[in-house]
Amino acid sequence: QVQLVESGGGLVQAGDSLRLSCAASGRTFGDHYMAWFRQAPGKEREFVGAKRWYTSSIYYADSAKGRFTISVDNAKNTMYLQMNNLKPEDTAVYYCAKTTRWISSWSTPGEYPYWGQGTQVTVSS
């Protein structure tokens, strides 16, 4: 079984930065992918970025490129999302997700069976 716990959300002003964390426990060995998604009120869950563990492969959504950076700490089984120059449209609940099998579409929520509880990010203008 896999457990994911996000933290680091909060209320910030436009232009500020935040770093979200996603700590994984349970099955943390072997090939797997971890991803960040977000969901704003009334909208569908949106892909932000993903990383294939133990590789340098990272994939970002166009909305995240240039402002968001994914990194990992293998020793802590933790993934981070550094968000810079935040905008009001970044306001959403941010979720981390994980799969322990090979997937063809990193950006599809249905490919990830394990999800955290989410952390709220609110950006005021």
Side-chain angles (χ1 to χ4, degrees):
Q1 196 57 272
V2 173
Q3 296 81 40
L4 303 172
V5 178
E6 302 99 333
S7 61
L11 172 63
V12 297
Q13 294 185 333
D16 286 350
S17 299
L18 273 179
R19 188 178 79 157
L20 307 183
S21 301
C22 175
S25 60
R27 181 178 174 182
T28 58
F29 55 88
D31 190 18
H32 56 273
Y33 303 76
M34 289 185 68
W36 288 101
F37 289 82
R38 66 185 184 184
Q39 189 165 21
K43 295 187 177 181
E44 293 186 354
R45 195 160 294 191
E46 176 190 18
F47 174 73
V48 175
K51 185 184 189 309
R52 186 173 183 179
W53 218 256
Y54 303 123
T55 75
S56 60
S57 299
I58 301 178
Y59 173 51
Y60 294 100
D62 287 343
S63 59
K65 290 178 182 177
R67 295 189 300 125
F68 294 1
T69 302
I70 290 175
S71 62
V72 300
D73 185 328
N74 290 319
K76 295 182 178 179
N77 294 312
T78 299
M79 177 175 68
Y80 303 97
L81 181 66
Q82 177 68 42
M83 304 185 293
N84 298 327
N85 190 24
L86 283 161
K87 304 175 181 180
E89 51 263 43
D90 295 318
T91 295
V93 177
Y94 284 71
Y95 298 90
C96 69
K98 178 174 176 176
T99 180
T100 55
R101 61 180 181 87
W102 182 85
I103 57 175
S104 59
S105 174
W106 294 27
S107 61
T108 301
E111 294 277 25
Y112 298 87
Y114 305 107
W115 291 81
Q117 81 288 351
T119 185
Q120 176 71 46
V121 172
T122 304
V123 185
S124 64
S125 58

Coordinates of all heavy atoms in Angstrom, one line a residue, residues 78-116:
T78 N 10.5 11.8 -0.9 CA 9.7 13.0 -0.9 C 9.9 13.8 -2.2 O 11.0 13.9 -2.7 CB 10.0 14.0 0.2 OG1 9.8 13.3 1.5 CG2 9.2 15.3 0.2
M79 N 8.8 14.2 -2.8 CA 8.8 15.0 -4.0 C 8.4 16.4 -3.7 O 7.5 16.7 -2.8 CB 7.8 14.4 -5.0 CG 7.7 15.2 -6.3 SD 6.6 14.4 -7.5 CE 5.0 14.5 -6.7
Y80 N 9.0 17.4 -4.3 CA 8.7 18.8 -4.1 C 8.2 19.5 -5.3 O 8.5 19.1 -6.5 CB 9.9 19.5 -3.6 CG 10.6 18.9 -2.4 CD1 11.6 18.0 -2.5 CD2 10.1 19.2 -1.1 CE1 12.2 17.4 -1.4 CE2 10.6 18.6 0.0 CZ 11.7 17.8 -0.1 OH 12.3 17.2 1.0
L81 N 7.4 20.5 -5.1 CA 7.0 21.4 -6.2 C 7.3 22.8 -5.8 O 6.6 23.4 -5.0 CB 5.5 21.2 -6.5 CG 5.0 22.1 -7.7 CD1 5.6 21.6 -9.0 CD2 3.4 22.0 -7.8
Q82 N 8.3 23.4 -6.4 CA 8.7 24.8 -6.2 C 7.9 25.6 -7.1 O 8.0 25.4 -8.4 CB 10.2 25.0 -6.4 CG 10.6 26.4 -6.2 CD 10.5 26.9 -4.8 OE1 10.8 26.2 -3.8 NE2 10.0 28.1 -4.6
M83 N 7.1 26.5 -6.6 CA 6.3 27.4 -7.4 C 6.7 28.8 -7.2 O 6.7 29.3 -6.1 CB 4.8 27.2 -7.1 CG 4.3 25.8 -7.1 SD 2.6 25.6 -6.8 CE 2.5 26.0 -5.1
N84 N 7.1 29.4 -8.3 CA 7.6 30.8 -8.3 C 6.7 31.7 -9.1 O 5.9 31.3 -10.0 CB 9.0 30.9 -8.9 CG 10.0 30.1 -8.0 OD1 9.9 30.0 -6.8 ND2 11.0 29.6 -8.7
N85 N 6.7 33.0 -8.8 CA 5.9 34.0 -9.5 C 4.4 33.5 -9.6 O 3.9 33.5 -10.7 CB 6.5 34.2 -10.9 CG 5.8 35.4 -11.6 OD1 5.3 36.3 -11.0 ND2 5.9 35.4 -12.9
L86 N 3.9 33.2 -8.5 CA 2.5 32.7 -8.5 C 1.5 33.7 -8.9 O 1.7 34.9 -8.7 CB 2.2 32.2 -7.1 CG 2.8 30.8 -6.7 CD1 2.8 30.6 -5.2 CD2 2.1 29.7 -7.4
K87 N 0.5 33.2 -9.6 CA -0.6 34.0 -10.1 C -1.9 33.6 -9.5 O -2.1 32.5 -9.1 CB -0.6 33.9 -11.7 CG 0.7 34.2 -12.4 CD 0.6 33.9 -13.8 CE 1.9 34.1 -14.5 NZ 1.9 33.8 -16.0
P88 N -2.9 34.5 -9.5 CA -4.2 34.2 -9.0 C -4.8 32.9 -9.6 O -5.5 32.1 -9.0 CB -5.1 35.4 -9.3 CG -4.1 36.5 -9.2 CD -2.8 36.0 -9.9
E89 N -4.5 32.7 -10.9 CA -5.0 31.5 -11.6 C -4.4 30.2 -11.2 O -4.8 29.1 -11.6 CB -4.9 31.7 -13.1 CG -3.5 32.1 -13.6 CD -3.4 33.6 -13.8 OE1 -3.9 34.4 -13.0 OE2 -2.8 34.0 -14.9
D90 N -3.3 30.3 -10.3 CA -2.7 29.1 -9.8 C -3.5 28.6 -8.5 O -3.2 27.6 -8.0 CB -1.3 29.4 -9.4 CG -0.4 29.7 -10.6 OD1 -0.5 29.0 -11.6 OD2 0.5 30.6 -10.5
T91 N -4.5 29.4 -8.1 CA -5.3 29.0 -6.9 C -6.0 27.7 -7.2 O -6.7 27.6 -8.2 CB -6.3 30.1 -6.6 OG1 -5.6 31.3 -6.2 CG2 -7.2 29.7 -5.5
A92 N -5.7 26.7 -6.3 CA -6.3 25.4 -6.5 C -5.9 24.5 -5.3 O -5.1 24.9 -4.5 CB -5.8 24.8 -7.8
V93 N -6.5 23.4 -5.2 CA -6.0 22.3 -4.3 C -5.0 21.5 -5.1 O -5.3 21.1 -6.2 CB -7.2 21.4 -3.8 CG1 -6.6 20.3 -3.0 CG2 -8.2 22.2 -3.0
Y94 N -3.8 21.4 -4.6 CA -2.8 20.7 -5.3 C -2.7 19.3 -4.7 O -2.6 19.1 -3.4 CB -1.5 21.4 -5.1 CG -1.4 22.6 -6.0 CD1 -2.2 23.8 -5.8 CD2 -0.5 22.6 -7.1 CE1 -2.1 24.8 -6.6 CE2 -0.5 23.7 -8.0 CZ -1.3 24.8 -7.7 OH -1.2 25.9 -8.6
Y95 N -2.6 18.3 -5.5 CA -2.6 16.9 -5.1 C -1.3 16.3 -5.7 O -0.9 16.6 -6.8 CB -3.7 16.1 -5.7 CG -5.1 16.6 -5.2 CD1 -5.8 17.5 -5.9 CD2 -5.7 16.0 -4.1 CE1 -7.1 17.9 -5.5 CE2 -6.9 16.4 -3.7 CZ -7.6 17.4 -4.4 OH -8.9 17.7 -4.0
C96 N -0.7 15.4 -4.9 CA 0.3 14.5 -5.5 C -0.3 13.1 -5.7 O -1.2 12.7 -5.1 CB 1.6 14.4 -4.7 SG 1.4 13.6 -3.1
A97 N 0.3 12.5 -6.7 CA -0.2 11.1 -7.1 C 0.9 10.2 -7.5 O 2.0 10.7 -7.8 CB -1.2 11.3 -8.3
K98 N 0.7 9.0 -7.4 CA 1.7 8.0 -7.7 C 1.2 6.8 -8.4 O 0.1 6.3 -8.1 CB 2.4 7.6 -6.4 CG 3.5 6.6 -6.5 CD 4.2 6.4 -5.2 CE 5.3 5.3 -5.3 NZ 6.0 5.1 -4.0
T99 N 2.0 6.2 -9.2 CA 1.8 4.9 -9.8 C 3.0 4.0 -9.7 O 4.1 4.6 -9.8 CB 1.2 4.9 -11.2 OG1 1.0 3.6 -11.7 CG2 2.2 5.6 -12.1
T100 N 2.9 2.8 -9.5 CA 4.0 1.9 -9.4 C 4.2 1.0 -10.6 O 4.8 0.0 -10.6 CB 3.9 1.0 -8.1 OG1 2.7 0.3 -8.1 CG2 4.0 1.9 -6.9
R101 N 3.5 1.4 -11.7 CA 3.7 0.6 -12.9 C 4.0 1.5 -14.1 O 3.8 2.7 -14.0 CB 2.4 -0.2 -13.3 CG 1.2 0.8 -13.5 CD -0.1 0.0 -13.8 NE -1.2 0.9 -14.0 CZ -1.5 1.4 -15.2 NH1 -0.8 1.2 -16.2 NH2 -2.6 2.2 -15.3
W102 N 4.5 1.0 -15.2 CA 4.8 1.8 -16.3 C 3.5 2.4 -16.9 O 2.4 1.7 -17.0 CB 5.4 1.0 -17.4 CG 5.8 1.7 -18.6 CD1 6.9 2.5 -18.8 CD2 5.0 1.9 -19.8 NE1 6.9 3.1 -20.1 CE2 5.8 2.8 -20.7 CE3 3.8 1.5 -20.2 CZ2 5.3 3.1 -21.9 CZ3 3.3 1.8 -21.5 CH2 4.0 2.6 -22.3
I103 N 3.5 3.7 -17.3 CA 2.4 4.3 -17.8 C 2.7 5.0 -19.1 O 3.9 5.4 -19.3 CB 1.7 5.3 -16.9 CG1 2.7 6.4 -16.4 CG2 1.1 4.6 -15.7 CD1 2.2 7.5 -15.6
S104 N 1.8 5.1 -20.0 CA 2.0 5.8 -21.3 C 1.7 7.3 -21.3 O 2.2 8.0 -22.1 CB 1.2 5.1 -22.4 OG -0.2 5.1 -22.1
S105 N 0.8 7.7 -20.4 CA 0.4 9.1 -20.4 C 0.6 9.6 -19.0 O -0.2 9.3 -18.1 CB -1.1 9.2 -20.7 OG -1.5 10.5 -20.6
W106 N 1.6 10.4 -18.8 CA 2.0 10.9 -17.5 C 0.9 11.9 -17.0 O 0.9 12.2 -15.8 CB 3.3 11.6 -17.6 CG 4.5 10.7 -17.9 CD1 4.5 9.5 -18.5 CD2 5.8 10.9 -17.5 NE1 5.7 9.0 -18.6 CE2 6.6 9.8 -18.0 CE3 6.5 11.9 -16.8 CZ2 7.9 9.7 -17.8 CZ3 7.8 11.8 -16.6 CH2 8.6 10.7 -17.1
S107 N 0.2 12.5 -17.9 CA -0.7 13.6 -17.6 C -2.1 13.2 -17.3 O -3.0 14.1 -17.1 CB -0.7 14.7 -18.7 OG -1.1 14.2 -19.9
T108 N -2.4 12.0 -17.4 CA -3.8 11.5 -17.2 C -4.1 11.0 -15.8 O -3.4 10.1 -15.3 CB -4.1 10.3 -18.1 OG1 -3.9 10.7 -19.5 CG2 -5.5 9.8 -18.0
P109 N -5.0 11.7 -15.1 CA -5.2 11.4 -13.7 C -5.5 9.9 -13.4 O -5.1 9.3 -12.4 CB -6.4 12.2 -13.3 CG -6.3 13.4 -14.2 CD -5.8 12.8 -15.5
G110 N -6.2 9.3 -14.4 CA -6.6 7.9 -14.2 C -5.5 6.9 -14.2 O -5.7 5.8 -13.8
E111 N -4.3 7.3 -14.6 CA -3.1 6.5 -14.6 C -2.6 6.3 -13.2 O -1.7 5.4 -13.0 CB -2.1 7.0 -15.5 CG -2.4 7.0 -17.0 CD -2.2 5.7 -17.7 OE1 -2.2 4.6 -17.0 OE2 -2.0 5.7 -18.9
Y112 N -3.0 7.1 -12.3 CA -2.4 7.1 -10.9 C -3.4 6.6 -9.9 O -4.4 7.2 -9.7 CB -2.0 8.5 -10.6 CG -0.9 9.1 -11.5 CD1 -1.3 9.8 -12.6 CD2 0.4 9.0 -11.2 CE1 -0.3 10.3 -13.5 CE2 1.4 9.6 -12.0 CZ 1.0 10.2 -13.2 OH 2.0 10.7 -14.0
P113 N -3.1 5.4 -9.3 CA -4.1 4.9 -8.4 C -4.0 5.4 -7.0 O -4.9 5.3 -6.2 CB -3.7 3.4 -8.4 CG -2.3 3.4 -8.8 CD -2.1 4.5 -9.7
Y114 N -2.8 6.1 -6.7 CA -2.6 6.6 -5.3 C -2.6 8.1 -5.3 O -1.9 8.7 -6.1 CB -1.3 6.0 -4.7 CG -1.2 4.5 -4.8 CD1 -0.4 3.9 -5.7 CD2 -2.0 3.7 -3.9 CE1 -0.3 2.5 -5.8 CE2 -1.9 2.4 -4.0 CZ -1.0 1.7 -4.9 OH -1.0 0.4 -5.0
W115 N -3.3 8.7 -4.3 CA -3.5 10.1 -4.3 C -3.3 10.6 -2.8 O -3.7 9.9 -1.9 CB -4.8 10.6 -4.8 CG -5.0 10.4 -6.3 CD1 -5.3 9.2 -6.9 CD2 -4.8 11.4 -7.3 NE1 -5.3 9.4 -8.3 CE2 -5.0 10.7 -8.5 CE3 -4.4 12.7 -7.2 CZ2 -4.9 11.4 -9.7 CZ3 -4.3 13.4 -8.4 CH2 -4.5 12.8 -9.7
G116 N -2.8 11.8 -2.7 CA -2.8 12.4 -1.4 C -4.1 13.1 -1.1 O -5.0 13.1 -2.0

